[in-house]
């Protein structure tokens, strides 16, 4: 497989020598286009290069001259194969060989013989924004100021839960059930004869999202980042947010009335057990008794953010997790410690809860949140 950055840089260098101004931004755009939509023929390659590298009509003629010199005439045929018995070569491999050959210049030495002099390669400047660098850093290593700077990126994240059928209905042309009331109403226009049956299908709505966030001492750096994410991403969704350490605290009203920075400060004042011990089993039992039995968790997607350290007995945690799994649609456990390749679920609390989880993700930085959002939107159970 050809090296696409080197392929793009070599071809644009040949265009630059022909008098066509091609900057680093167009070179990056050409390389990105080759990555997103790999061309299968030289004609497709010409269209791709012409779209990303040429900005003036007068540049088309010198562009085609350079293209024919480097890649040959555009054709719709597939690249030729080698000798009989050789494996087929991809277009990128063929073009890579042509570009490498075009990068050498023919010069004459002192005796008049032609020699190949390699062209000096110029580095293409690439720079990452400060937000891009923060996206790959662990939440535990970020300061409060850096977390606040990530708020604008967190606002672009959409937390979607799978759809569930509603009790309401909507009219559909090919619905399975007949809407008797609407059919009889429209039959009055035809003398009481129902010439056309009206049908309907159930409406769908996203499932509720319930988040239980561990704010004990071992989870404090990640808890601040996750609460900020929940504030930014669940503003348009029907979500309930709880925190727990030694007791269960409902934070949904607090997060709705404040901004992202004020929400964290108010959450610290609302939850008196911030940075305390961990009693996952007791807090989960409190949630099941006070909120789960009243229907909040029925058919919902439940997210538990914790590293699994629990001062209670594992059997109690397994009992309450089993009770929650019987009413919830999915249980997603977010454990930042799983980002390490050496992680093993040896903690008693995590080992007891693992059989009742549909997905376990790390979400230890902004780049790892893709797995978190994918686990939320998964349609069914995987236990």
């Amino acid at each position: 497989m050809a090296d696409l950055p080197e392929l793009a840089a070599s071809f644009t260098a040949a265009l630059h020598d022909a008098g066509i101004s091609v900057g680093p931004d167009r070179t990056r755009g050409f390389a990105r286009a080759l990555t997103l939509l790999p061309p299968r023929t030289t004609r497709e390659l010409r269209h791709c290069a012409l779209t990303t590298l040429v900005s003036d009509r007068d540049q088309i003629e010198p562009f085609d001259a350079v293209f024919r010199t480097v890649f040959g005439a555009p054709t719709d045929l597939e690249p030729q194969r080698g000798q009989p018995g050789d494996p087929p070569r991809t277009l990128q491999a063929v073009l890579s060989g042509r570009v490498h050959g075009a990068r050498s210049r023919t010069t004459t030495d002192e005796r008049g013989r032609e020699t190949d002099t390699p062209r000096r390669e110029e580095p293409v400047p690439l720079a990452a924004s400060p937000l891009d660098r923060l996206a790959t850093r662990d939440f535990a290593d970020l300061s409060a100021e850096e977390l606040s700077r990530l708020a604008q990126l967190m606002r672009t994240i959409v937390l979607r839960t799978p759809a569930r059928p509603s009790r309401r209905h909507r009219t559909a042309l090919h619905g399975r059930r007949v809407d008797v009331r609407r059919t009889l109403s429209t039959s009055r226009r035809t003398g009481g004869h129902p010439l056309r049956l009206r049908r309907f299908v159930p409406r769908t709505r996203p499932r509720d999202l319930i988040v239980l966030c561990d704010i004990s001492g071992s989870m404090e750096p990640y808890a601040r980042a996750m609460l900020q994410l929940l504030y930014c991403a669940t503003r348009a969704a029907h979500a309930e947010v709880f925190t727990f350490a030694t007791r269960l605290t409902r934070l949904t009203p607090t997060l709705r009335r404040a901004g992202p920075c004020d929400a964290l400060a108010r959450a610290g004042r609302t939850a008196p057990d911030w940075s305390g011990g961990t009693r996952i089993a007791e807090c989960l039992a409190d949630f099941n008794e006070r909120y789960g039995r009243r229907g909040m968790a029925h058919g919902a997607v439940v997210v538990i953010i914790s590293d699994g350290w629990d001062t209670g007995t594992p059997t109690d945690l397994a009992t309450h997790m089993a009770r929650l799994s019987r009413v919830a649609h999915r249980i997603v456990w977010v454990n930042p410690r799983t980002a390490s390749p050496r992680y093993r679920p040896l903690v008693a609390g995590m080992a007891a809860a693992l059989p009742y989880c549909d997905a376990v993700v790390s979400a230890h930085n902004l780049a790892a949140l893709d797995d978190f959002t994918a686990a939320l939107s998964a349609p069914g159970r995987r236990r």
Side-chain angles (χ1 to χ4, degrees):
M1 186 64 68
D3 188 357
L4 294 183
E6 186 177 1
L7 176 70
S10 303
F11 178 56
T12 53
L15 292 177
H16 189 272
D17 294 341
I20 301 177
S21 60
V22 180
D25 53 342
R26 295 186 183 179
T27 304
R28 290 194 298 267
F30 178 51
R32 180 172 176 80
L34 292 179
T35 305
L36 297 178
L37 188 62
R40 294 171 297 180
T41 62
T42 52
R43 185 176 297 275
E44 293 182 1
L45 177 64
R46 177 185 177 274
H47 292 329
C48 180
L50 191 66
T51 304
T52 55
L53 298 176
V54 175
S55 60
D56 192 353
R57 187 184 299 270
D58 298 334
Q59 298 177 354
I60 298 179
E61 184 176 354
F63 168 83
D64 288 335
V66 175
F67 188 90
R68 286 192 296 268
T69 302
V70 177
F71 301 115
T75 177
D76 290 332
L77 299 177
E78 293 294 330
Q80 297 181 355
R81 300 176 183 267
Q83 299 297 328
D86 293 343
R89 302 172 63 194
T90 62
L91 177 63
Q92 294 181 1
V94 174
L95 299 182
S96 177
R98 293 179 181 177
V99 171
H100 280 294
R103 289 177 57 193
S104 60
R105 292 181 177 177
T106 302
T107 59
T108 58
D109 56 6
E110 297 178 355
R111 298 182 181 181
R113 294 177 300 182
E114 293 184 352
T115 59
D116 291 337
T117 303
R119 175 176 296 168
R120 182 174 60 89
E121 296 183 0
E122 298 181 0
V124 179
L126 297 175
S129 65
L131 291 179
D132 292 337
R133 291 193 295 267
L134 291 178
T136 57
R137 291 180 54 188
D138 197 287
F139 286 142
D141 300 332
L142 299 180
S143 62
E145 181 182 358
E146 291 173 337
L147 279 177
S148 62
R149 291 169 59 186
L150 285 180
Q152 56 180 311
L153 289 180
M154 289 182 175
R155 289 191 180 95
T156 62
I157 299 176
V158 179
L159 300 183
R160 288 192 178 95
T161 55
R164 65 182 304 177
S166 174
R167 293 184 179 180
R168 297 181 179 272
H169 302 86
R170 63 178 178 87
T171 303
L173 184 61
H174 301 287
R176 294 184 178 181
R177 300 182 60 183
V178 177
D179 190 347
V180 179
R181 178 177 297 180
R182 186 177 294 272
T183 300
L184 295 178
S185 177
T186 56
S187 65
R188 292 181 297 180
R189 304 174 184 176
T190 56
H193 299 283
L195 300 181
R196 183 177 179 183
L197 297 179
R198 300 290 182 174
R199 299 179 179 273
F200 63 83
V201 294
R203 292 181 181 269
T204 59
R205 63 182 182 90
R207 294 183 179 272
D208 296 338
L209 177 63
I210 299 176
V211 182
L212 305 176
C213 186
D214 188 352
I215 57 173
S216 60
S218 60
M219 282 291 297
E220 181 182 4
Y222 298 101
R224 293 182 180 274
M226 295 306 296
L227 287 178
Q228 179 173 300
L229 168 69
L230 295 172
Y231 170 82
C232 298
T234 60
R235 298 287 289 179
H238 185 248
E240 289 285 345
V241 182
F242 297 84
T243 59
F244 67 90
T246 57
R247 65 182 69 181
L248 185 72
T249 305
R250 183 170 177 261
L251 284 185
T252 305
T254 302
L255 295 179
R256 289 177 179 174
R257 292 195 303 262
C261 297
D262 297 338
L264 294 179
R266 291 188 180 184
R269 294 192 298 265
T270 304
D273 54 346
W274 191 283
S275 298
T278 312
R279 298 176 182 175
I280 304 179
E282 295 183 11
C283 296
L284 203 58
D286 189 13
F287 173 80
N288 289 333
E289 290 291 336
R290 297 171 57 187
Y291 302 98
R293 293 181 61 182
R294 292 191 296 180
M296 180 182 292
H298 283 262
V301 177
V302 180
V303 178
I304 302 177
I305 305 172
S306 177
D307 54 4
W309 288 96
D310 188 17
T311 57
T313 58
T315 54
D316 292 341
L317 179 59
T319 301
H320 299 301
M321 283 291 297
R323 184 179 178 184
L324 180 62
S325 66
R326 286 193 290 266
V327 297
H329 177 71
R330 280 177 64 84
I331 297 180
V332 179
W333 194 291
V334 179
N335 187 351
R337 312 299 178 186
T338 59
S340 175
R342 297 178 298 177
Y343 173 81
R344 297 294 183 273
L346 302 179
V347 180
M350 193 67 212
L354 195 59
Y356 306 99
C357 298
D358 297 283
V360 178
V361 295
S362 63
H364 63 287
N365 58 19
L366 197 64
L369 293 180
D370 292 339
D371 296 335
F372 174 59
T373 56
L376 290 184
S377 59
R381 296 191 174 189
R382 292 187 296 176
R383 296 177 209 153

